[in-house]
Each structure stands twice: as structure tokens, then as C-alpha cells.
């Protein structure tokens, strides 16, 4: 079945440093989504990428979808303590338009003030 | 957007008993899902709750262990049957109505002793 691998598992940064998490799928994806889960909270949708090579920005967050639609990345510039949490990528297999998502393992981000 | 509530928010149960978790959405949604998230782990899809018909289960999950109901477009229940300590987890209801965002409920934290 489809597998979505995410690295690194943990990332500790000083406030102000940049952070990147990478996601790789075993199969071609129709789209990929990113979620943030704060400690003790539930996953909250950040963004969806659909097109090959797509790049989207949300303030300090930059999301990329690979040309082959099998990998993606999330980059945070100048991290803040409010960025703390677990970041998950979640992919939908090619040809699947509805909500069945396969989640990566997540990257736990810790930001030291 | 969709606002999801789950009951109970947490419970401690004895081995061999069953617990039914309720998921209520504030609007009609196309698809409802049940996920499991073990402590510090990623999200695993248990099943898709289909309105008026039997749920569609993912590999490794069976109806006898996780019976699901979805009587209408805003409500679903997940029962965890004959519980064992390995069932200790967070159970999350999720909904999708297209085109992008998938919303998650606050989760039910289950501990089996």
C-alpha cells in the first residue's frame, strides 16, 4: 500500500533559526496536505498542494510539491516559539479525490527561546 | 468550515469492556472518517463511515472490533469493543466536504487498564 515517509522525526532549533521537514511518498500523489498539531491538540489543516512543482507561501511558511508529485517540503523561516508542534504531511493517492489521507510520521518541532 | 465535537473527551476503561465514541458535526458533510493516533505517533485511518451503509475498513481493522454507525450526514459513532491495553490511543473523527480541507475533531483519549 501507499507509504508516506517524513523526516526528520525531531528538530530542535533556536528561535530565529529556519526549519525544514521533508515528505516522500512511495507512489505518485494526486495532492498533498500539511497539518500542524499543537501539543495536546488535534491536527489543523495548513495547506494543500495539487500541481507538479507547486510552491505556496503563508507568511513565514513555504510549501513545495515536487515535479514528480511524490515529495514535498515545508520550510519555516525565522522560527518563533508559536511554531512549536508536530507537522504532518498527508497524501492522497493518484486518482483519489476524496478524503482518504495517508499521513507521514510527523516532525516534532521544538523552538528554544 | 466544520466544527466537530466528540464525546467523551477522555475515558479510562477496564479490559474487556466496550466504549462508544460520538462525533457530531455542525453541518452536513460528504465524508466522515475515524482515525487512531497512538501517543507520539502519526494518524492511522481506521475506516470511512458511510451514511446508511456499512463502513469501509482499512487493512488491519475489522467491523467486529470497531463497529461504526453513521445514521445521517452530521453524526457518527465508533465503538471500541472488547478493549485491551493495546487499544489505548486517541481516536479522532474527521470530516471532508471538498475541495481541500479535512477537519479533525478534538479527539477522545482512551486509556485501557
Amino acid at each position: 500500500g501507499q507509504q508516506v515517509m517524513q523526516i526528520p522525526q525531531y528538530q530542535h532549533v533556536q528561535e530565529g533559526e529556519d526549519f525544514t521537514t521533508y515528505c516522500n511518498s512511495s507512489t505518485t500523489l494526486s495532492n498533498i496536505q500539511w497539518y500542524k498539531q499543537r501539543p495536546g491538540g488535534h491536527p489543523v489543516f495548513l495547506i494543500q498542494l495539487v500541481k507538479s512543482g507547486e510552491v505556496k507561501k503563508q507568511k513565514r511558511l513555504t510549501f513545495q510539491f515536487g515535479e514528480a508529485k511524490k515529495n514535498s517540503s515545508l520550510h519555516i523561516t525565522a522560527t518563533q516559539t508559536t511554531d512549536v508542534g508536530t507537522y504532518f504531511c498527508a497524501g492522497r493517492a493518484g486518482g483519489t479525490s476524496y478524503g482518504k489521507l495517508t499521513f507521514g510520521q510527523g516532525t516534532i518541532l521544538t523552538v528554544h527561546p | 468550515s466544520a466544527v466537530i465535537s466528540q464525546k467523551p473527551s477522555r475515558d479510562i476503561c477496564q479490559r474487556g469492556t466496550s466504549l462508544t465514541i460520538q462525533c457530531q458535526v455542525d453541518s452536513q458533510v460528504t465524508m466522515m472518517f475515524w482515525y487512531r493516533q497512538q501517543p507520539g505517533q502519526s494518524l492511522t485511518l481506521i475506516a470511512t463511515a458511510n451514511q446508511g451503509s456499512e463502513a469501509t475498513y482499512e487493512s488491519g481493522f475489522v467491523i467486529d472490533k470497531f463497529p461504526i454507525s453513521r445514521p445521517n450526514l452530521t453524526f457518527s459513532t465508533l465503538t471500541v469493543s472488547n478493549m485491551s491495553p493495546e487499544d489505548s490511543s486517541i481516536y479522532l473523527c474527521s470530516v471532508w466536504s471538498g475541495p481541500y480541507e479535512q477537519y479533525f475533531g478534538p479527539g477522545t483519549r482512551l486509556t485501557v487498564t
Side-chain angles (χ1 to χ4, degrees):
Chain A
Q2 180 187 11
Q3 290 187 332
V4 176
M5 308 299 292
Q6 193 174 349
I7 58 169
Q9 186 176 0
Y10 302 94
Q11 187 76 58
H12 305 274
V13 300
Q14 289 293 131
E15 189 172 21
E17 292 181 340
D18 292 355
F19 158 75
T20 305
T21 174
Y22 300 90
C23 190
N24 190 57
S25 171
S26 59
T27 59
T28 301
L29 301 170
S30 63
N31 57 71
I32 193 161
Q33 299 187 349
W34 286 90
Y35 291 80
K36 178 182 179 180
Q37 186 174 24
R38 294 182 185 275
H42 58 276
V44 174
F45 175 87
L46 294 176
I47 208 161
Q48 174 168 291
L49 304 170
V50 179
K51 299 177 183 177
S52 170
E54 189 169 16
V55 178
K56 288 189 176 180
K57 293 190 176 184
Q58 289 180 349
K59 297 184 180 178
R60 294 178 295 105
L61 278 61
T62 302
F63 304 84
Q64 293 187 328
F65 200 11
E67 294 290 340
K69 300 184 73 173
K70 296 181 71 174
N71 57 74
S72 181
S73 65
L74 159 60
H75 179 81
I76 302 178
T77 303
T79 55
Q80 301 174 357
T81 55
T82 53
D83 295 326
V84 165
T86 302
Y87 292 85
F88 291 100
C89 62
R92 288 199 180 105
T96 302
S97 60
Y98 57 85
K100 180 176 176 178
L101 293 169
T102 300
F103 280 78
Q105 298 94 325
T107 296
I108 300 173
L109 173 63
T110 305
V111 180
H112 300 285
Chain B
S1 66
V3 177
I4 306 169
S5 59
Q6 282 185 236
K7 291 181 181 179
S9 59
R10 59 178 63 226
D11 207 341
I12 301 173
C13 300
Q14 296 285 332
R15 181 195 300 257
T17 62
S18 297
L19 175 72
T20 296
I21 303 168
Q22 299 180 2
C23 175
Q24 179 73 55
V25 191
D26 68 341
S27 59
Q28 293 186 349
V29 293
T30 306
M31 305 197 74
M32 296 181 76
F33 307 89
W34 287 97
Y35 284 83
R36 182 171 74 182
Q37 185 177 31
Q38 296 182 312
Q41 302 297 312
S42 185
L43 288 83
T44 301
L45 181 62
I46 297 171
T48 301
N50 301 310
Q51 193 230 342
S53 65
E54 197 169 282
T56 304
Y57 290 84
E58 297 300 307
S59 176
F61 298 96
V62 295
I63 187 171
D64 290 346
K65 176 68 176 177
F66 298 101
I68 288 170
S69 76
R70 188 180 174 191
N72 56 52
L73 293 175
T74 64
F75 185 80
S76 177
T77 66
L78 167 73
T79 299
V80 186
S81 303
N82 188 25
M83 288 184 284
S84 67
E86 293 71 34
D87 294 320
S88 297
S89 189
I90 299 171
Y91 292 86
L92 294 147
C93 173
S94 179
V95 303
W96 183 83
S97 281
Y100 300 131
E101 298 188 41
Q102 187 157 333
Y103 297 94
F104 286 84
T108 296
R109 187 178 296 269
L110 171 63
T111 303
V112 183
T113 61

